[in-house]
Amino acid sequence: MLMVLVFSAVGSPGDGSHAIQAVATPINLALALGATCALGTVVSSVLALRLRRQPAGGGAALGLLGLLLMLLLLPSQL
């Protein structure tokens, strides 16, 4: 959702920052939702590992979240 909002805000060169300002609130809401989902994934995975209830699922969730974060952060390092 965040990518759709950012791509819709990209206008032609020289149009100023009006497009970004128009979608600033939805972008911030999408960022907050993504952070909340990531935090929920970490908490539930740690609980699954500590309570010994589906530890493989908890490990898989942490692994997939790490992969997602790596894919999102890797382009910013280039």
Side-chain angles (χ1 to χ4, degrees):
M1 181 66 181
L2 183 61
M3 287 176 37
V4 170
L5 289 171
V6 169
F7 287 147
S8 69
V10 174
S12 60
D15 68 350
S17 63
H18 300 292
I20 293 288
Q21 290 174 352
V23 293
T25 302
I27 286 175
N28 289 333
L29 288 174
L31 279 173
L33 181 64
T36 303
C37 290
L39 181 65
T41 300
V42 170
V43 169
S44 63
S45 297
V46 169
L47 284 175
L49 293 171
R50 285 194 177 242
L51 297 176
R52 307 240 189 263
R53 293 185 178 209
Q54 297 182 352
L62 283 176
L64 288 173
L65 182 62
L67 179 65
L68 176 65
L69 290 176
M70 184 180 67
L71 289 175
L72 290 175
L73 296 176
L74 186 64
S76 67
Q77 301 297 323
L78 297 175

